[in-house]
Amino acid sequence: MSRDPNRVNVVLVLADNLGWGELGCYGGGILRGAATPRIDKLATEGLLLQNFNVESDCVPTRSALMTGRHPIRTRCFQSVPAGFPQGLTEWERTLAECLKDNGYATAHHGKWHLGDIPGRYPSDRGFDEWFGIPRTTDETQFTSSIGYTPEVAELPYIMKGKSGEQSENVCVYDLEKRRLIDEMLVEQSKDWLTRQVEQEKAFFLYHPLVHLHFPTLPHKDFAGSTKQGDFADSMAEMDYRVGQLIDHVDKLGIRDNTVFIFASDNGPEFRPPYRGTAGPWSGTYHTAMEGSLRVPFIIRWPGIVPEGTTSNEIVQVTDIFSTILSITKTALPSDRPIDGVDQTAFFKNPKEQKSPRTGFLFYIKEELRAIKWKDWKLHLVWEPKVNESSGRLESPYLFNTVRDPKEESDILPFNTWVLQPMMKLKNSKF
């Protein structure tokens, strides 16, 4: 494997619905019923972000990650059932397509959720090969649901495909396979990584886990292991699976030339009994609360990103697109607006550098819900819990997220000056 710094490898692991407060390194771990030693150790080997922000749902976040563009631009607003138009249009430019044009080998093993028809599978969008699910994990409940038949709703499948070939079904994605899929995905990624090293190819591996999305069911090897129920058992498994990927990168001798990123796509799961936590923040995904926006993010880049560092500087999911392209010396698309900013300099020197991002706009579907700027958060629509919206506010609510992390005390009447930089941010973005 080449040690050329211009050909650095990237492994991007994305958990599904992992709240800010679940991991030990974010104040959870054994307090949530399951220690997370592997991810906690990863945090000591690089930079942990306390203020990494995502979009409101699986589809919007994944589209923002893959394009560097907010969903208001790509129209990737929400999850929809099979058989309906969804995912990235063909003219959107993905992270994998950019990297592939720069000579990178690319693979996707996990949950895609950005297209489920020919032309929109991962292997059609810049990935050399893929294995996983095209949509989402709640579909595993189909075959055991009363009244379900394949004639009225499509069977969900685990699928695979290669660039230039037609993607194909591997097996039905049911509750049995739900327990096995993260193990299957790790085996796929380990095999692919080994092949890239043997062929001395620079690579980008995108590994979107299925845990902790509901139904949050652990592999049989972890069932009952925590004695705190399925959710905690699944968290223990998730930590183990991430550890398997870390160990394989290290075993292959490519640790020093590989950027390893671990993050989550959304805030915590909220459907009982699979309820997660956002730690000190309020809310879950599908809202504009901090518990929806803020999720875990850890980056390890040996010798480049300093070990054992944390930061409360603002980073947004679109930034990962721009930053990975910068790290790999890959050109940004120049024919469209890119919302992501390059965080490379900040990641390399987080103790002295500040994030180049001071804030962002937060949409749910086509509605601007909130504006975040420095330590301030302005809510234009108030929905502290899913499906409990009071509608658009005549007088918006303003919170200081340092002094009031739960977003409980509106202080706009005493801080109307904050509206000026926030409105400038709003008017400058579109």
Side-chain angles (χ1 to χ4, degrees), residues 196-234:
Q196 306 322 303
V197 172
E198 289 174 348
Q199 297 171 34
E200 298 190 348
K201 289 184 178 179
F203 63 79
F204 168 56
L205 170 64
Y206 178 40
H207 187 106
L209 296 158
V210 170
H211 281 326
L212 296 166
H213 193 289
F214 87 99
T216 314
L217 302 174
H219 187 281
K220 60 181 176 59
D221 292 348
F222 292 86
S225 62
T226 68
K227 296 181 173 53
Q228 294 291 345
D230 284 343
F231 191 88
D233 291 347
S234 297

Side-chain angles (χ1 to χ4, degrees), residues 45 51 62 94 183 194 211 228 235 250 259 303 415:
E45 297 171 343
N51 203 345
R62 290 158 197 268
T94 71
E183 178 186 46
T194 299
H211 281 326
Q228 294 291 345
M235 194 159 70
D250 294 355
V259 177
N415 295 275

Side-chain angles (χ1 to χ4, degrees), residues 5 147 214 267 273 398 403 408 410:
F214 87 99
L398 179 70
R403 300 175 220 161
E408 296 174 324
D410 171 32

Side-chain angles (χ1 to χ4, degrees), residues 303-351:
I304 306 296
V305 171
E307 296 184 1
T309 51
T310 61
S311 176
N312 193 43
E313 290 289 299
I314 294 176
V315 176
Q316 210 270 341
V317 63
T318 54
D319 300 345
I320 305 311
F321 175 89
S322 301
T323 304
I324 288 177
L325 293 186
S326 173
I327 287 171
T328 58
K329 306 293 191 296
T330 304
L332 279 171
S334 59
D335 60 346
R336 66 202 66 200
I338 298 295
D339 297 302
V341 299
D342 182 6
Q343 297 283 358
T344 306
F346 164 60
F347 286 171
K348 288 180 176 180
N349 191 13
K351 294 180 180 179

Side-chain angles (χ1 to χ4, degrees), residues 228-273:
Q228 294 291 345
D230 284 343
F231 191 88
D233 291 347
S234 297
M235 194 159 70
E237 182 190 354
M238 179 193 68
D239 183 71
Y240 177 79
R241 301 299 176 208
V242 175
Q244 285 183 296
L245 293 172
I246 294 169
D247 288 346
H248 199 65
V249 167
D250 294 355
K251 177 183 176 182
L252 291 172
I254 55 173
R255 182 183 192 274
D256 291 345
N257 201 41
T258 300
V259 177
F260 195 105
I261 297 171
F262 175 84
S264 177
D265 69 337
N266 295 129
E269 188 60 73
F270 73 93
R271 294 173 176 86

Side-chain angles (χ1 to χ4, degrees), residues 370-382:
I371 301 173
K372 187 165 173 174
W373 178 75
K374 296 189 175 181
D375 295 332
W376 303 89
K377 178 91 162 290
L378 185 74
H379 284 265
L380 305 174
V381 175
W382 186 240

